[in-house]
Amino acid sequence: MNGLAWIYLVLAGCTEIVWALGLKYAEGFTNPIPSIITVIFIIISFFLFAKAAMHVPIGTAYAVFTGIGAAGTAVAGIILFNEEAGVIKIGFLVLLITGLVGLKLTDAEKPEEGEEPWRGSS
């Protein structure tokens, strides 16, 4: 289930990018169509995050969820809105993405019921 949870988590982060971009077009929720789309993606995003959080440690899940959203929204801003993309900004985005991959790689598998959890070496 942990693999599926990570798929939910990545999808949650990707849908976060959509609703974050939607906020730009919703203009403070005064523009109806972008506002409705934004709210729909907020609901989808948090539903997927909640499904993922059932199996991925919450600290890791939240960091990855917001990290994907933050990095993706920054990249979308560069591509779609011609926002500044200096070397330092790109470097920090790479650092952020590296951290997300590191969190995934260090995510310990949750032991199955009845299985002895890993206690580390002593």
Side-chain angles (χ1 to χ4, degrees), residues 8-9 11-13 15-16 19 38-53 62 65-66:
Y8 286 145
L9 192 54
L11 290 174
T15 53
E16 184 185 14
W19 68 253
T38 299
V39 170
I40 289 170
F41 273 91
I42 288 172
I43 292 168
I44 293 169
S45 180
F46 278 92
F47 173 78
L48 292 169
F49 175 66
K51 297 288 282 183
Y62 190 68
F65 170 67
T66 57

Side-chain angles (χ1 to χ4, degrees), residues 53-116:
M54 292 171 59
H55 302 280
V56 176
I58 191 65
T60 300
Y62 190 68
V64 171
F65 170 67
T66 57
I68 290 172
T73 303
V75 171
I78 293 167
I79 294 170
L80 299 175
F81 306 117
N82 294 322
E83 293 178 357
E84 182 184 333
V87 173
I88 294 173
K89 185 174 187 175
I90 299 297
F92 280 118
L93 283 171
V94 170
L95 183 63
L96 175 61
I97 293 166
T98 303
L100 297 177
V101 171
L103 286 172
K104 166 61 179 127
L105 294 176
T106 59
D107 177 45
E109 287 286 326
K110 194 174 182 179
E112 295 296 322
E113 194 168 307
E115 185 178 333
E116 183 70 21

